[in-house]
Amino acid sequence: MQGAFREHAAALRKCGCDAVEIRKPADLEAIDALIIPGGESTTIGKLLNDYGLTEPILAKARDGLPVFGTCAGAILVAKELVDSDQPRLGLMDIKVRRNAYGRQVDSFEVEVEIPVLGKEPFPAVFIRAPRIEDARPGVEVLARYREGIILVRQGNLLAATFHPELTEDLRLHRYFLRMVAERQ
Ligand code: GLN
């Protein structure tokens, strides 16, 4: 409904996967997994409520639907936020700080190590990015950058503070699709 959903759809199609856009509860019927894109988390959170999507997404996620939140999406799946009680899904046991990198460096790209994706570093694009400040027991920390956590997994849930859909590197989308295949 808002943010970088077209880029995610394009990345999924390059992986050989179908992608549909979700705007109403009925759209959720046919999906095997859900990506919540980067954008503006307050807007997306409000629209999820306005369109009646919050509860059906929560029910499906609790039932095992793989969900991947990127950037604003990582904010929306966090149970705990620093200094905000904005509407969200609150699925993952992580504590997230919005706009954590300050104004001076509000967007940047760095090569990060993500061991589950192999040896080759991953080009991580951060845009007014949040930072995961804490991951509770049960949450696997898959990557860090400086003092922050940038990629986590908790069972069927995955969250990245960067934008994998804005690079040509499809490894993180493929990793998520393997989570989907494992479930099936
Ligand atoms: N700063 C945005 C927010 O707080 C997230 C930025 C993004 O998704 N690129 O919602």
Side-chain angles (χ1 to χ4, degrees):
M1 42 185 58
Q2 197 266 335
F5 55 87
R6 287 184 199 87
E7 292 82 356
H8 270 299
L12 290 173
R13 289 183 186 121
K14 281 186 205 154
C15 296
C17 173
D18 279 344
V20 293
E21 293 168 12
I22 305 298
R23 295 207 172 73
K24 51 183 190 308
D27 298 336
L28 295 167
E29 296 307 320
I31 62 172
D32 298 307
L34 178 67
I35 294 182
I36 305 182
E40 183 50 51
S41 60
T42 49
T43 305
I44 300 173
K46 182 178 181 304
L47 292 174
L48 287 174
N49 280 344
D50 291 353
Y51 293 2
L53 281 163
T54 304
E55 288 307 320
I57 291 174
L58 287 177
K60 283 192 165 270
R62 290 191 188 117
D63 199 38
L65 182 80
V67 177
F68 182 15
T70 60
C71 203
I75 297 167
L76 288 160
V77 296
K79 274 195 187 150
E80 205 181 330
L81 297 183
V82 180
D83 297 333
S84 170
D85 60 358
Q86 65 193 75
R88 61 189 180 281
L89 298 165
L91 283 162
M92 294 183 78
D93 293 304
I94 52 175
K95 178 162 105 184
V96 171
R97 180 185 296 275
R98 295 179 63 194
N99 303 322
Y101 295 90
R103 290 178 139 243
Q104 308 279 308
V105 286
D106 65 359
S107 298
F108 56 99
E109 180 173 334
V110 284
E111 305 259 293
V112 294
E113 302 291 327
I114 306 182
V116 291
L117 300 184
K119 279 214 169 67
E120 186 86 3
F122 190 89
V125 177
F126 294 86
I127 303 172
R128 298 207 310 118
R131 178 158 62 214
I132 300 168
E133 298 202 333
D134 200 9
R136 312 264 180 243
V139 179
E140 273 176 272
V141 174
L142 300 182
R144 294 174 188 269
Y145 171 63
R146 293 198 181 155
E147 72 275 33
I149 300 166
I150 60 170
L151 180 67
V152 287
R153 176 171 177 181
Q154 185 173 14
N156 56 315
L157 310 170
L158 186 68
T161 61
F162 50 94
H163 284 260
E165 78 289 1
L166 298 184
T167 63
E168 294 300 307
D169 196 320
L170 295 170
R171 283 178 294 161
L172 195 50
H173 286 85
R174 291 215 167 95
Y175 177 85
F176 180 58
L177 292 175
R178 281 199 297 278
M179 288 171 53
V180 182
E182 277 164 25
R183 185 198 183 204
Q184 289 166 350

